[in-house]
Amino acid sequence: NGTEYSLDSANIGNLKGPEFWEAVTAVFQECQRVLKPGGNFVIISKGCTRDGKYVDLPGQFKSTMEGLGFTLRDHWLRQLWARSFWRNIQKNKSPESWDENLDYESVMTFRK
């Protein structure tokens, strides 16, 4: 059942700080290892907020991928058609600190 997996403390999405980045980097390194030269890797991600400030998660993924030798081929921003319940509360509660980047997801294609 998907619910148990998403709640599992070993799920990368549930990790924080250095543990998160170690796990993500290990996944990216394994993709680098198994992809053929010229192979493509696509990341779809969104930024988030920590302590009321925008965190550029797509930008951090890009830096990590480039640090592993991948080359960015294309980057698109796709406007989200709807915000989550929690994002709406966040924007309504603090409109002055709302970062418009939260209304988009990033699609990046990298080549090995």
Side-chain angles (χ1 to χ4, degrees):
N1 170 330
T3 303
E4 286 95 23
Y5 175 74
S6 65
L7 297 175
D8 186 336
S9 62
N11 180 324
I12 290 175
N14 295 326
L15 299 176
K16 304 277 187 241
E19 289 178 333
F20 172 79
W21 285 107
E22 286 173 25
V24 166
T25 301
V27 169
F28 292 173
Q29 286 172 326
E30 183 63 10
C31 292
Q32 172 75 323
R33 187 184 72 76
V34 300
L35 275 173
K36 293 179 182 178
N40 292 308
F41 185 101
V42 177
I43 299 175
I44 301 171
S45 62
K46 296 185 290 188
C48 60
T49 54
R50 288 272 183 259
D51 300 322
K53 294 187 175 117
Y54 179 72
V55 176
D56 183 14
L57 198 54
Q60 292 175 347
F61 284 151
K62 178 181 179 286
S63 294
T64 301
M65 291 292 287
E66 290 174 337
L68 293 172
F70 284 91
T71 302
L72 181 67
R73 281 191 61 214
D74 261 319
H75 184 198
W76 305 275
L77 290 179
R78 187 177 84 92
Q79 189 165 13
L80 302 171
W81 62 271
R83 275 188 219 103
S84 72
F85 173 77
W86 298 111
R87 292 276 185 211
N88 282 325
I89 289 175
Q90 180 183 9
K91 183 170 185 176
N92 291 335
K93 188 175 181 182
S94 305
E96 69 285 346
S97 66
W98 179 258
D99 191 304
E100 295 302 321
N101 287 309
L102 294 168
D103 287 329
Y104 295 87
E105 70 181 359
S106 171
V107 181
M108 293 180 285
T109 304
F110 295 89
R111 177 162 283 160
K112 177 177 176 181

